[in-house]
Amino acid sequence: MSIAIGLLAVALYLVTAGYLVVTARRQPLTPGQPRVPLGLWGLALLAHLGALLPMVLTDAGLNLCLGNALSASLWLVAALLWLTSWRHPLAILGVVILPLTALAVLTALLCDGDTRYATSAGIDLHILFSALGWAFLALSTAQAAVMAAQHRALHNHHASGFVRALPPLFSMEVWLFRMIFIGWLFLGLSLLSGLVFVDNLFAQHLVHKTTLSILAWLIFSTLLVGRWRLGWRGTRALAWTTGGFVVLVLAYFGSKLVLEVILGRV
């Protein structure tokens, strides 16, 4: 049943992304519009969640194999963007996010790991903060990449098609740094909650994740200070955002990739 529902979610995500591309070529996307792809997007999120929950929530604890972890993280990113798109003209970012989310669903369906964690309320809070921080910063990185393409197209006087569907660069930049700040805040809370609730945050299997998470938090801290004090923007902001997110991906998923896929351990 999870496989069937998951494949339905994949189809809905891809159809929604295609619908957004076709619509954006005809007219700029406004908040809450167009309703048809946003409706399909909502159905995809529900199907994705329906397939994911039985695979993650088990009697033995959370099954956080690499595929499930990726799928859950991308679901949160897609859900945040969907909610934001009802009030702000950012639905076009779904062209980037939704195909990646569909790929994450397929990865979860193929996941044969058995990485389970017995959790407590404190650990659950730590996981929630970590997931929210990753989701906001992932969405920020996607928006920064789109902004870079938008800036290049405008500079070359090619403001048509996809670029015409985007909000003004100033509005995109304002929302970019708002999302970076929220993601930075949740990432900091995840580090703090880990220090409080995780028995040994620098245990052998966590030292890689902890060290890189701290480094990512410092990178985003530098970016925010640079924006506040020095007015960083454009390619400089994109470079720092991308660099911080790459470190964060390595922190959250790098060790899982090495242990589960390369070394075959769980």
Side-chain angles (χ1 to χ4, degrees), residues 18-221:
Y19 207 131
L20 288 173
V21 170
V22 172
T23 305
R25 288 181 177 275
R26 298 174 180 171
Q27 61 186 26
L29 303 184
T30 56
Q33 297 293 334
R35 291 187 178 275
V36 172
L38 286 176
L40 293 173
W41 191 336
L43 291 175
L45 289 171
L46 289 175
H48 185 171
L49 188 62
L52 183 64
L53 286 178
M55 294 188 291
V56 173
L57 302 178
T58 71
D59 294 336
L62 299 180
N63 185 346
L64 295 177
C65 65
L66 178 61
N68 286 349
L70 282 170
S71 183
S73 298
L74 267 295
W75 181 89
L76 189 54
V77 173
L80 287 172
L81 181 56
W82 180 74
L83 290 173
T84 304
S85 298
W86 286 98
R87 296 195 62 182
H88 306 282
L90 297 177
I92 191 62
L93 294 179
V95 173
V96 177
I97 297 298
L98 296 184
L100 293 176
T101 308
L103 181 60
V105 175
L106 292 175
T107 304
L109 294 178
L110 297 174
C111 179
D112 58 357
D114 194 30
T115 307
R116 303 182 189 277
Y117 299 94
T119 61
S120 62
I123 296 297
D124 288 343
L125 187 64
H126 169 67
I127 293 174
L128 176 62
F129 285 150
S130 298
L132 287 172
W134 193 93
F136 274 104
L137 293 173
L139 194 52
S140 301
T141 304
Q143 182 171 341
V146 170
M147 286 175 60
Q150 181 183 17
H151 183 271
R152 185 165 54 251
L154 292 173
H155 181 75
N156 295 329
H157 306 289
H158 293 155
S160 60
F162 177 80
V163 174
R164 188 171 59 87
L166 296 172
L169 264 175
F170 176 78
S171 299
M172 292 276 281
E173 191 172 72
V174 168
W175 279 105
L176 172 67
F177 280 96
R178 286 180 181 177
M179 287 191 293
I180 289 175
F181 176 76
I182 295 172
W184 169 84
L185 185 63
F186 277 121
L187 180 58
L189 289 173
S190 74
L191 292 171
L192 182 61
S193 61
L195 186 64
V196 173
F197 297 115
V198 178
D199 292 336
N200 187 356
L201 199 60
F202 286 93
Q204 183 176 0
H205 65 292
L206 291 177
V207 65
H208 167 274
K209 177 180 182 295
T210 304
T211 303
L212 289 178
S213 294
I214 292 173
L215 178 59
W217 186 83
L218 291 174
I219 291 174
F220 284 110
S221 298

